[in-house]
Amino acid sequence: MRCDACDAEAVVDQPYRRGHLCGPHLLDSVRERVRRELHRQVPGFRGGTIAVALSGGKDSAVALALTRAYFGRRPNVRLVALTVDEGIAGYRPATIERAAELCRSLGVEHRIVRFSERLGTTTDATAERLPRAIPCAYCGVWRRQLLNRGARELGADLLVLGFNLDDLAQTVLMNLARGEVDRLARMAPHRFRQPGLVPRVAPLAPIPEREVFLYARLAGLPFDHGECPHAGRAARNVYREVVWQLEEAVPGTRQALLRTQERLAPLLTGPTPPEAPGRCQACSEPAAGPLCRACEFLAAARNPIIVGPASAPP
Ligand code: SF4
Ligand SMILES: [Zn+2]
Ligand SMILES: [Zn+2]
């Protein structure tokens, strides 16, 4: 396989565009696609604070490095990396070390928000208390809330997430398959600013997971390769497999799923901002009902007998 741009040996094939690229041209191509995506999702950003969710894995490492490349050097932009420590032994400590190493090498301010301090529990402890619940269900809800709270406390104007093309295509399919059209409409990037919610952007949206991995490796970014010990039970796994099979059979399916979401979202929300969310009675965070989902899960974790794990939200 030869690179389309220079005839050197290719490191990646891109069946969705019938192309091949060598290492240096893949780096250029990822940088350019992310640059265009950032400007598409954040048109005319005039300065302010940008929080970047940094897990210590490859995706968020690339998102931070490229956000810094485009926005971080502007004198009117403050860039802060935000890491959530869910309390997962044998996994999270190493990723936090990589995240800190990356921030040091890029000269980016780094904040860590811990479940144990903010929620009074951890994912490991909850997995023990609620053995029948799927850990990613509450862990993901809690992490999203703490990322939003952490970004808001920093006064952030944007929260950058490291979702790649595969992640987003899986989420679109999952939301469609479950009939959760409201979630489809709420996926990043956000068209409207909602009170209490920092708008999320996903600049790696056009980049397949494999290319993000190669970018991180070729650019020499420190990242952790470990996998969360609870990941095997994630509902997402089946969608990962289905999207992979669809992409093998019909290259370009992932991009098509994303286009579907982009075309549906404005039809679902309409031209005006949706009604502002209410406030959770327990923690005052934005909520659709009396309690936010994070507090519903906390109640289940604290009292698995009254609010049993089988009745915990999926
Ligand atoms: S894989 Fe699941 S349990 Fe593990 S960190 Fe991610 S959301 Fe949490
Ligand atoms: Zn080349
Ligand atoms: Zn709450």
Side-chain angles (χ1 to χ4, degrees):
M1 280 192 321
R2 295 276 141 196
C3 173
D4 305 331
C6 72
D7 211 35
E9 194 177 343
V11 295
V12 68
D13 66 323
Q14 300 170 310
Y16 57 88
R17 68 165 198 97
R18 295 197 185 130
H20 305 91
L21 290 177
C22 69
H25 280 113
L26 174 68
L27 286 169
D28 284 351
S29 154
V30 170
R31 281 187 203 116
E32 179 54 19
R33 279 178 284 166
V34 172
R35 186 189 68 76
R36 269 189 268 133
E37 190 63 19
L38 267 174
H39 288 293
R40 188 178 79 89
Q41 293 189 18
V42 194
F45 185 65
R46 305 221 176 279
T49 299
I50 302 178
V52 182
L54 179 65
S55 69
K58 64 184 188 317
D59 303 293
S60 56
V62 173
L64 177 64
L66 292 181
T67 304
R68 181 182 171 277
Y70 295 118
F71 289 131
R73 291 193 197 121
R74 293 196 203 167
N76 59 350
V77 171
R78 176 187 177 208
L79 195 61
V80 186
L82 208 51
T83 299
V84 176
D85 178 1
E86 304 93 341
I88 302 173
Y91 167 63
R92 192 46 86 202
T95 63
I96 291 177
E97 267 181 42
R98 292 288 83 72
E101 188 184 338
L102 178 65
C103 289
R104 278 194 301 276
S105 72
L106 295 175
V108 171
E109 186 181 341
H110 188 204
R111 301 279 180 100
I112 300 173
V113 186
R114 299 186 198 281
F115 276 15
S116 57
E117 290 164 9
R118 299 294 190 111
L119 304 173
T121 189
T122 63
T123 294
D124 279 352
T126 307
E128 263 186 43
R129 273 180 83 73
L130 303 177
R132 286 161 58 204
I134 293 175
C136 299
Y138 47 83
C139 181
V141 167
W142 288 341
R143 188 178 48 233
R144 271 194 296 282
Q145 190 188 75
L146 288 196
L147 279 172
N148 184 63
R149 275 168 66 181
R152 202 180 57 219
E153 285 162 13
L154 288 165
D157 301 283
L158 295 174
L159 174 59
V160 174
L161 301 171
F163 295 136
N164 60 49
L165 175 63
D166 294 64
D167 296 329
L168 292 167
Q170 290 155 19
T171 305
V172 172
L173 194 62
M174 191 156 66
N175 289 337
L176 282 170
R178 291 170 163 184
E180 293 180 330
V181 285
D182 49 328
R183 285 180 182 230
L184 206 58
R186 288 203 306 264
M187 284 176 66
H190 291 159
R191 294 189 306 131
F192 301 111
R193 179 179 277 270
Q194 293 277 68
L197 294 170
V198 180
R200 289 175 286 162
V201 296
L204 304 191
I207 317 294
E209 178 169 17
R210 197 154 53 111
E211 294 177 36
V212 175
F213 171 77
L214 284 169
Y215 184 94
R217 287 285 296 269
L218 293 167
L221 301 177
F223 68 92
D224 192 81
H225 296 257
E227 192 182 26
C228 172
H230 304 293
R233 297 181 61 200
R236 170 177 293 273
N237 293 342
V238 67
Y239 295 96
R240 177 175 294 117
E241 184 63 30
V242 170
V243 167
W244 185 80
Q245 286 186 13
L246 283 169
E247 184 66 33
E248 283 285 297
V250 187
T253 297
R254 292 168 299 185
Q255 285 91 344
L257 280 165
L258 232 62
R259 279 199 304 277
T260 302
Q261 187 273 339
E262 284 180 3
R263 293 174 73 171
L264 281 177
L267 301 176
L268 293 167
T269 51
T272 51
E275 213 177 292
R279 295 282 158 177
C280 171
Q281 288 169 5
C283 72
S284 303
E285 290 297 311
L291 288 182
C292 69
R293 291 189 76 221
C295 284
E296 285 176 359
F297 279 119
L298 276 178
R302 284 185 191 130
N303 205 339
I305 295 167
I306 294 173
V307 188
S311 63

